[in-house]
Amino acid sequence: MSSLPASNLKIKKRGNLKVGSYADIVIFDPVKIKDNATFENPHQYATGVEHVFVNGVQVLKDGEHTNAKPGRCIRGPGFAEKIKK
């Protein structure tokens, strides 16, 4: 599900679970998954998401945040460090 977007955006070492790549994994219950955000109350976690790993580090365990923050900004080939006027 994630290898095609990573490939289209030319983001290397993402989208596949293999040696040398970064492990970003979401484990969810397809029966219970639900987006709880609304326009009136947009900052709501989805339910049914059990575990999340970012760069191989668990950031959500049994639906609760672990306070780990191993993520980083990924910039594709279209990113310009300095915008010229």
Side-chain angles (χ1 to χ4, degrees), residues 23-27 45 49-72:
D24 297 330
I25 304 167
V26 176
I27 301 170
Y45 288 120
V49 179
E50 302 294 326
H51 306 286
V52 176
F53 294 82
V54 177
N55 291 333
V57 177
Q58 192 165 19
V59 296
L60 197 71
K61 181 177 182 180
D62 297 320
E64 297 293 325
H65 200 284
T66 65
N67 293 319
K69 298 177 183 176
R72 63 185 180 101

Side-chain angles (χ1 to χ4, degrees), residues 11-76:
I11 300 172
K12 298 178 193 250
K13 296 186 179 183
R14 298 277 175 184
N16 292 300
L17 292 177
K18 62 182 183 180
V19 175
S21 291
Y22 299 100
D24 297 330
I25 304 167
V26 176
I27 301 170
F28 63 94
D29 183 337
V31 175
K32 296 180 182 177
I33 193 83
K34 180 183 175 197
D35 180 7
N36 296 305
T38 64
F39 286 108
E40 296 79 23
N41 201 358
H43 300 289
Q44 301 299 312
Y45 288 120
T47 51
V49 179
E50 302 294 326
H51 306 286
V52 176
F53 294 82
V54 177
N55 291 333
V57 177
Q58 192 165 19
V59 296
L60 197 71
K61 181 177 182 180
D62 297 320
E64 297 293 325
H65 200 284
T66 65
N67 293 319
K69 298 177 183 176
R72 63 185 180 101
C73 178
I74 300 173
R75 295 186 170 106

